[in-house]
Amino acid sequence: MIQLQNYINGKMCPPAGGTYIDNVNPATGEVYAHIPDSGIDDVNNAVLAAQAAFDKWSNMAAKKRSDILLRIASLIEQNLQQLAEAESLDNGKPVWLAKQIDIPRAASNFHFYATGILHFASEAHAIEGTAINYTLRQPIGVVGCISPWNLPLYLFTWKIAPALAAGNCVVAKPSEITPYTAFLLSELCIEAGLPAGVLNIVHGTGPNVGAAIAAHPNIPVISFTGGTKTGAEISRVAAPMFKKLSLELGGKNPNIIFADCNLTHAIETSVKSSFSNQGEICLCGSRIFIERSIYDKFKNAFVEKIKQLKTGDPNDENNFLGAIVSKMHYEKILSYIDLAKQEGGTILCGGNAIHPEGRCANGYFIVPTVIEGLAYNCRTNTEEIFGPVVTLIPFDTEEEAIMQANSTVYGLAAILWTDNLQRAHRVATKLHSGIVWINCWLLRDLRTPFGGVKNSGIGREGGFEALKFFTEEKNVCIKF
Ligand code: NAD
């Protein structure tokens, strides 16, 4: 049995209360690790360590901070196989996927911000003949980073790397459902020579550890990725304390297929944008709107491809889908498939759980599911399911497609397929979302602003946006 520990003040340590939570491998349903059931005392200890480390870390030359973060990036790369296996064990995703996407991206996050900080600059404003203003961008202090279970190390490091590069110290909490790679990261930080207290990782539940971070008076900045309800709860606590908040929340993304697109390309990519990572990516397109003249052609070819996707043991590289992250989430997804049937939907493929033979017989597996025949504004089409379930919806006009695509409370990402350049630009401006991919999906440039509108969040991560978020601007005016 693996026993995880917190990482506080440069050391691995047990939770103050001495209690642990079971951590389940979703591919087998078996407990494989115990994780610290930390609480407010552990968060307090982490904040004290971070405060003590702040002066030295924030005043260290950016190049020196950068060198340490680059060492962490290299260590992640050197431990690719072990980290990918740990991510898969914890989350249920295929090992090949963690090896191709999650872990390399975690290394890139450190690499990107370790070098980005060397190019971060600020403005000066001269008042002719009178004065000069210049803007300082200073690290803020102790920042709180809270992340979800779907892309565990990828999203954890996406927050931590810019926060540290900018000169802050961090108290971070990974999801209690997928804490293993964050634990392994602590060991790599020690090996890389990260000074004690600069990064502290406290494991435990949202109500115990996450809430303590959100409410802590000495954590003035919170960067959160997770569900919309949790984001609202964090805002409720943190906003009256005037904390700086970045909230990356849920989504229900449209994937709009116009008849004038390259259909082969649209179908191939839609398979991935629907079912990669078991559909548990906040950027997956779960509502596929198809222009009526090509509806049947798209549907038949798409469903044919989906039927060929294999679901099962995450260690088998022939499987495109692994296990759903937890029993609770598995049951939630199945309940949405039932709801879709009650709402009059027709299941075109999938719609059921499976129990593979052998070691995964008690795991949480759901076959990729395609549903048609539902109104664009029913619950199935407006609530986030966050699993391997997509719906097909025909449309007749561009205006109708835009109206239906915009008809949820969410606005994270949208996907658009058309070979008509004017239409592409026109529709992109009208979609209510923070990100629009045209004729592609998940093509990521880490310099671009990342985030959502409406109930998908507040603020932007990525590029210099994140370095701006993790620093405070101060204008200094000098009279000649
Ligand atoms: P969640 O909101 O349940 O949990 C996210 C994190 O918040 C976890 O670490 C959890 O322990 C913590 N938490 C829970 N309650 C808390 C509280 N009261 N105070 C502080 N922290 C608390 O989300 P999840 O189920 O882990 O992740 C799935 C959700 O994340 C989906 O809605 C998905 O769309 C969203 N997501 C969004 C993005 C994005 O970039 N916008 C990326 C990935 C996932």
Side-chain angles (χ1 to χ4, degrees):
M1 188 69 59
I2 298 165
Q3 179 124 321
L4 307 194
Q5 302 290 3
N6 289 331
Y7 170 52
I8 297 177
N9 205 18
K11 295 192 187 70
M12 310 307 299
C13 49
T19 53
Y20 289 81
I21 311 167
D22 285 347
N23 190 18
V24 173
N25 172 355
T28 62
E30 284 161 12
V31 175
Y32 80 93
H34 293 142
I35 74 157
D37 186 11
S38 312
I40 196 155
D41 291 340
D42 302 280
V43 172
N44 284 340
N45 290 341
V47 172
L48 287 174
Q51 283 179 312
F54 179 65
D55 190 43
K56 202 163 164 203
W57 181 249
S58 58
N59 285 305
M60 190 182 273
K63 168 75 171 70
K64 218 168 154 195
R65 283 205 302 268
S66 169
D67 287 346
I68 297 172
L69 299 181
L70 287 174
R71 280 207 291 278
I72 299 175
S74 309
L75 284 169
I76 293 174
E77 281 163 356
Q78 286 163 34
N79 288 278
L80 172 69
Q81 184 67 29
Q82 188 203 3
L83 288 165
E85 284 171 10
E87 204 70 292
S88 167
L89 188 66
D90 228 6
N91 171 279
K93 69 179 69 204
V95 174
W96 66 260
L97 183 71
K99 218 169 150 182
Q100 256 180 40
I101 307 284
D102 295 70
I103 309 306
R105 173 59 190 278
S108 297
N109 290 340
F110 273 104
H111 196 275
F112 181 81
Y113 281 108
T115 50
I117 194 63
L118 304 176
H119 304 270
F120 190 42
S122 61
E123 306 80 31
H125 302 91
I127 307 173
E128 279 166 24
T130 310
I132 180 112
N133 294 276
Y134 64 87
T135 309
L136 287 174
R137 292 191 199 283
Q138 295 174 297
I140 303 171
V142 181
V143 312
C145 298
I146 304 174
S147 59
W149 50 254
N150 66 321
L151 299 167
L153 194 64
Y154 174 132
L155 290 174
F156 195 57
T157 54
W158 182 230
K159 299 181 178 307
I160 288 170
L164 294 177
N168 300 285
C169 293
V170 173
V171 175
K173 186 197 112 51
S175 169
E176 63 273 34
I177 300 169
T178 54
Y180 194 14
T181 48
F183 165 75
L184 296 173
L185 177 70
S186 343
E187 297 182 329
L188 299 182
C189 289
I190 295 172
E191 196 179 336
L194 187 71
V198 168
L199 170 64
N200 304 276
I201 300 176
V202 185
H203 295 278
T205 65
N208 289 341
V209 177
I213 291 174
H216 202 290
N218 295 328
I219 302 183
V221 184
I222 308 278
S223 174
F224 170 78
T225 300
T228 294
K229 264 194 187 154
T230 315
E233 171 59 16
I234 290 175
S235 295
R236 190 188 65 75
V237 173
M241 299 173 80
F242 306 106
K243 295 193 181 206
K244 213 172 173 187
L245 281 179
S246 168
L247 303 172
E248 300 291 342
L249 310 177
K252 185 77 179 176
N253 307 311
N255 177 9
I256 309 171
I257 322 274
F258 284 101
D260 57 21
C261 76
N262 177 330
L263 195 58
T264 309
H265 192 189
I267 291 169
E268 270 169 19
T269 307
S270 294
V271 171
K272 295 182 188 146
S273 66
S274 302
F275 297 114
S276 293
N277 205 46
Q278 301 72 243
E280 297 165 334
I281 302 182
C282 54
L283 304 165
C284 280
S286 53
R287 297 175 294 148
I288 309 183
F289 296 95
I290 306 142
E291 194 161 352
R292 199 177 298 275
S293 60
I294 56 158
Y295 183 84
D296 284 336
K297 205 170 165 194
F298 178 94
K299 172 174 104 174
N300 294 337
F302 182 69
V303 169
E304 207 43 53
K305 279 198 181 295
I306 303 308
K307 282 182 178 164
Q308 282 157 27
L309 296 180
K310 292 198 165 77
T311 305
D313 191 338
N315 292 343
D316 181 344
E317 61 185 29
N318 295 313
N319 289 327
F320 187 77
L321 290 88
I324 299 301
V325 72
S326 67
K327 185 160 191 280
M328 205 169 97
H329 194 55
Y330 162 86
E331 283 166 358
K332 176 186 157 183
I333 296 167
L334 291 175
S335 77
Y336 268 104
I337 295 173
D338 280 345
L339 174 71
K341 289 183 203 157
Q342 284 162 31
E343 289 187 315
T346 304
I347 311 282
L348 298 174
C349 63
N352 56 291
I354 52 157
H355 300 282
E357 275 179 25
R359 76 172 196 109
C360 294
N362 295 320
Y364 316 128
F365 296 89
I366 297 176
V367 181
T369 300
V370 182
I371 305 171
E372 71 170 353
L374 288 166
Y376 75 93
N377 55 359
C378 69
R379 279 185 59 203
T380 309
N381 273 331
T382 51
E383 296 178 13
E384 187 182 40
I385 301 174
F386 212 51
V389 180
V390 296
T391 58
L392 306 186
I393 307 160
F395 68 85
D396 291 301
T397 64
E398 186 179 300
E399 292 69 29
E400 189 191 4
I402 295 167
M403 183 278 289
Q404 296 190 359
N406 286 340
S407 65
T408 75
V409 295
Y410 298 107
L412 185 55
I415 312 159
L416 175 54
W417 292 92
T418 177
D419 273 356
N420 178 332
L421 189 59
Q422 290 188 355
R423 189 204 295 275
H425 288 301
R426 191 169 56 235
V427 177
T429 61
K430 291 184 181 161
L431 289 168
H432 300 164
S433 71
I435 300 155
V436 179
W437 274 296
I438 300 176
N439 298 333
C440 61
W441 177 70
L442 211 55
L443 192 52
R444 289 283 289 120
D445 177 333
L446 300 189
R447 294 169 300 180
T448 59
F450 179 93
V453 300
K454 302 197 284 187
N455 292 13
S456 290
I458 297 174
R460 293 292 178 271
E461 298 185 326
F464 289 135
E465 299 292 330
L467 294 177
K468 285 182 186 162
F469 175 74
F470 286 118
T471 51
E472 196 72 84
E473 284 142 329
K474 182 188 288 173
N475 189 66
V476 180
C477 177
I478 315 173
K479 195 167 185 298
F480 291 154

